[in-house]
Amino acid sequence: MKTSPLQYHVENRHATWLELFFDLVFVASIGIVTHNLAHTHDGHIEFKQFWLFPVEFIPVWWIWATHTLYANRFDTDSRQHRMISLLIMFLLVTMSAFLGEALFDHYDRFIIFYTGIRIILAILYFSSENKLDDSSKFAIVIGWRTIAGAVISGTSLFAEEPYRYVLLIGGIVFEMVISSAIGTKLVDTDPIHREHLVERIGLLTIILLGESVISLVNSLQGTSWNLENTIASASGFLIIGTIWWIYFDNFDVLERLKSLKHGFLLIYSHLLLAMGLVILANLIRHAILSDLGMHDFRLLSIIGMVLFYLGLHTVFFEALPTFRMNLILNSVVPIGITTVSTFLPTPTHALLGMLFGLLVYSFMGLRLTGTKNIDCYLETK
């Protein structure tokens, strides 16, 4: 009997060292995108910085997501896979040079690198046809999907602003919709490796939280220490720590959800969560530096917390139908507390309100769902 070279069939599978390296490269690229929201002009963030943030974030994230979903099913940890993955990482690092404000000046270079990476990812899927697995049809379809999405996004090279950005994101949305449709149909014959995908998502989240800590530390350098800054920095760290606690407290449930078979909902919801974490990291920075007016701080706070809770709850909302009202309530109340807190006099007060909202979330989660049995929705250990 022939043994499959796929990591998919490895007992007690975990993320490879190459995947961890890929995550670090991704976060380095996201760091450049994140820096867009760190610049202020007379206490304001310009409108173009707001809409440029998702335009840059989503393509970088989609490269990571596509490679992660490929590795989840078809990774062999072979020399060929390592070399191609390292090539993608190199191109991603180079593409990052054209992110930030430079995207307006060098969009042609950015889109050429982006399209090139997408084509390489498609080749990875095409190459999976010859592997010892019964998922060749799935790999070929996803490969052609990736090519089609790359063509749609690539045509943005010939469009003017803002239509080029519509085409860029449109190609990604096309791929996401097609992937979900295919994944739903092939969920029985081509399920994801659930434990591995959940682990990858968790590792990415912990790295993004680490970036928040780095942002906090950097903002403290050269800052004059006073009571306001001390409270802001302490609140910022407690917010990061509380988010870590909330997220990973139910992490074992994700690994056992019966409905988590194709993985796309998990990946897509974590796009929202990742964007929310990045925005919150900038909020802590601005609160410590006191360089952002309350109107813009309020806007970022509400958007960041809404994205975080949407990303946190979407999978559970779909997988645990009997708890949907609890999940809605446990999102609306903390977001409401955050919104009210942004009308307080300073960003530091708003951070304290945000922290209070997260603590209320933890208490409500324990009271509403912590004591209820959800074994019927979980795989047996």
Side-chain angles (χ1 to χ4, degrees):
M1 183 177 177
K2 224 170 185 182
T3 303
S4 171
L6 298 176
Q7 292 289 303
Y8 187 95
H9 300 296
V10 172
E11 189 177 356
N12 298 320
R13 181 187 181 189
H14 293 286
T16 65
W17 295 113
L18 179 65
E19 290 177 301
L20 298 178
F21 188 23
F22 197 102
D23 290 349
L24 289 175
V25 171
F26 163 77
V27 172
S29 298
I30 287 299
I32 297 175
V33 178
T34 303
H35 203 59
N36 255 341
L37 297 178
H39 293 295
T40 59
H41 306 273
D42 298 322
H44 296 284
I45 295 177
E46 293 183 358
F47 178 71
K48 73 176 184 181
Q49 293 172 258
F50 276 112
W51 65 260
L52 189 60
F53 169 67
V55 167
E56 293 184 334
F57 191 102
I58 293 172
V60 176
W61 163 83
W62 189 230
I63 290 170
W64 177 87
T66 308
H67 185 271
T68 296
L69 288 169
Y70 168 82
N72 182 264
R73 286 185 172 93
F74 303 112
D75 185 9
T76 58
D77 202 24
S78 63
R79 289 181 180 179
Q80 178 189 10
H81 175 77
R82 292 180 179 185
M83 290 175 65
I84 294 177
S85 296
L86 287 169
L87 173 61
I88 292 172
M89 284 186 263
F90 169 74
L91 294 175
L92 180 58
V93 168
T94 308
M95 186 187 82
S96 301
F98 309 118
L99 294 173
E101 295 181 357
L103 185 61
F104 289 98
D105 301 324
H106 304 295
Y107 184 80
D108 54 341
R109 301 177 192 178
F110 162 80
I111 198 63
I112 288 170
F113 274 93
Y114 174 76
T115 305
I117 292 172
R118 301 305 301 168
I119 292 172
I120 293 171
L121 285 165
I123 292 171
L124 270 178
Y125 274 101
F126 290 142
S127 68
S128 300
E129 184 180 15
N130 299 321
K131 291 179 180 176
L132 299 178
D133 197 81
D134 56 2
S135 303
S136 60
K137 179 182 176 182
F138 177 83
I140 295 303
V141 173
I142 294 296
W144 284 115
R145 172 225 67 175
T146 306
I147 291 290
V151 169
I152 295 172
S153 295
T155 57
S156 65
L157 177 63
F158 308 103
E160 298 295 327
E161 295 181 17
Y163 305 108
R164 60 171 49 167
Y165 305 124
V166 174
L167 285 169
L168 170 62
I169 302 301
I172 296 171
V173 172
F174 168 82
E175 291 189 52
M176 292 171 68
V177 171
I178 296 298
S179 298
S180 296
I182 296 171
T184 302
K185 291 181 180 179
L186 300 178
V187 71
D188 293 325
T189 56
D190 299 278
I192 60 162
H193 192 295
R194 184 173 54 229
E195 293 79 6
H196 172 262
L197 185 61
V198 171
E199 181 186 37
R200 288 298 310 280
I201 289 289
L203 289 169
L204 180 66
T205 302
I206 203 76
I207 292 174
L208 288 171
L209 286 173
E211 284 294 303
S212 299
V213 175
I214 292 172
S215 178
L216 188 155
V217 172
N218 287 339
S219 63
L220 292 175
Q221 293 182 340
T223 302
S224 58
W225 284 91
N226 53 44
L227 181 60
E228 187 89 0
N229 288 341
T230 302
I231 294 175
S233 58
S235 300
F237 181 78
L238 288 173
I239 286 173
I240 296 168
T242 306
I243 288 174
W244 169 84
W245 190 300
I246 290 171
Y247 181 84
F248 287 100
D249 204 34
N250 293 313
F251 203 64
D252 61 320
V253 175
L254 275 180
E255 294 179 332
R256 298 171 57 202
L257 285 176
K258 291 179 181 179
S259 62
L260 193 60
K261 294 184 177 180
H262 59 72
F264 292 110
L265 184 62
L266 179 65
I267 287 281
Y268 297 166
S269 63
H270 274 72
L271 165 63
L272 304 178
L273 189 140
M275 292 177 68
L277 291 180
V278 165
I279 291 173
L280 292 174
N282 272 287
L283 282 174
I284 295 169
R285 172 188 174 87
H286 290 307
I288 293 173
L289 297 178
S290 300
D291 61 350
L292 187 63
M294 281 306 298
H295 177 271
D296 289 10
F297 193 90
R298 181 179 305 118
L299 183 62
L300 277 181
S301 299
I302 296 172
I303 292 174
M305 294 307 289
V306 168
L307 289 174
F308 169 71
Y309 284 114
L310 280 175
L312 182 68
H313 284 165
T314 299
V315 172
F316 293 116
F317 188 86
E318 189 276 336
L320 307 173
T322 57
F323 297 107
R324 286 175 180 171
M325 280 307 300
N326 290 343
L327 291 170
I328 291 172
L329 183 62
N330 211 10
S331 297
V332 172
V333 172
I335 290 172
I337 292 173
T338 295
T339 302
V340 170
S341 72
T342 60
F343 287 91
L344 295 173
T346 68
T348 299
H349 290 97
L351 278 188
L352 287 170
M354 241 179 283
L355 175 61
F356 179 66
L358 288 166
L359 293 174
V360 168
Y361 172 92
S362 301
F363 176 77
M364 290 179 65
L366 179 64
R367 296 281 295 177
L368 295 173
T369 61
T371 59
K372 296 184 179 181
N373 192 312
I374 58 173
D375 288 346
C376 58
Y377 301 110
L378 305 180
E379 299 283 358
T380 306
K381 283 186 178 180

